[in-house]
Amino acid sequence: MAGILWPEQSQENALASLRTAVWRARSHVPELLTSTRHDVDLHPDVTVDVHQLAEVARYPLDQSRLQSLADQRGVLDILASHGELLPGWYDDWVLVERERVRLQHVRALETLADQLLRGDQPSDAVRAALAATTLEPFRDSAHAVVMRAYLSEGNTSEAIRHFQHYRSQLHRELGVGPSIAVQRLIRPHLARFAG
């Protein structure tokens, strides 16, 4: 751990820095860490946001866990408020874990958006789907849910505007267009709106 946190220091100095950091943490927040001569860990009562996110992200995937609209909105509040894991860290293990957490997060938001849409809650579905597109700006399935939610609430112009923005973004950033499925979803509305 000392080598990861203080890679530019010698092993001896890194260990001294670790001891100092543990001492400071204990003096400011006595119940934060547990440690032995060879191990440092978070106290079992400490809540870790990424663990909370992982637990909450499982809820939309297990229909039996979400019993009510209040449950869905509570899950949405948590999922929509979480950001990136350890921003600014670029160690290989962080990059892999960040990607795993991000994908789990996006899938949970998409699934929840679909559930909210089926439950006739298009505004909440839009919120969940837009949170998914923020995490993954080039994911067709997330943008499709946004458009379906707008269409569900009768907001055709907003669905078309979202499609056009997404199409422009894909073309500008990646030189591609939306998937055939996304185009099929919006095509009848484009024709009707233009005519």
Side-chain angles (χ1 to χ4, degrees), residues 42 47-54 79 81-105 135:
L42 290 174
T47 300
V48 178
D49 61 347
V50 74
H51 295 163
Q52 180 190 34
L53 176 62
L79 290 176
S81 66
H82 274 75
E84 185 178 84
L85 175 67
L86 297 173
W89 286 46
Y90 300 102
D91 294 335
D92 289 343
W93 72 269
V94 174
L95 296 175
V96 170
E97 189 63 12
R98 183 182 297 147
E99 179 67 7
R100 186 192 67 74
V101 168
R102 187 185 60 75
L103 286 175
Q104 180 185 32
H105 195 173
L135 290 169

Side-chain angles (χ1 to χ4, degrees), residues 106 109 128-139 142-144 146 162:
V106 169
L109 282 163
L130 285 173
T133 65
T134 299
L135 290 169
E136 184 53 69
F138 303 116
R139 189 173 171 104
H143 287 280
V146 172
H162 185 86

Side-chain angles (χ1 to χ4, degrees), residues 64-125:
S64 66
R65 292 178 117 171
L66 291 175
Q67 300 298 324
S68 69
L69 178 58
D71 291 340
Q72 290 174 325
R73 285 188 174 148
V75 167
L76 175 55
D77 287 343
I78 292 169
L79 290 176
S81 66
H82 274 75
E84 185 178 84
L85 175 67
L86 297 173
W89 286 46
Y90 300 102
D91 294 335
D92 289 343
W93 72 269
V94 174
L95 296 175
V96 170
E97 189 63 12
R98 183 182 297 147
E99 179 67 7
R100 186 192 67 74
V101 168
R102 187 185 60 75
L103 286 175
Q104 180 185 32
H105 195 173
V106 169
R107 285 186 190 115
L109 282 163
E110 279 185 7
T111 302
L112 182 59
D114 278 331
Q115 290 168 357
L116 288 162
L117 204 49
R118 285 193 306 273
D120 198 29
Q121 299 297 318
S123 296
D124 288 334

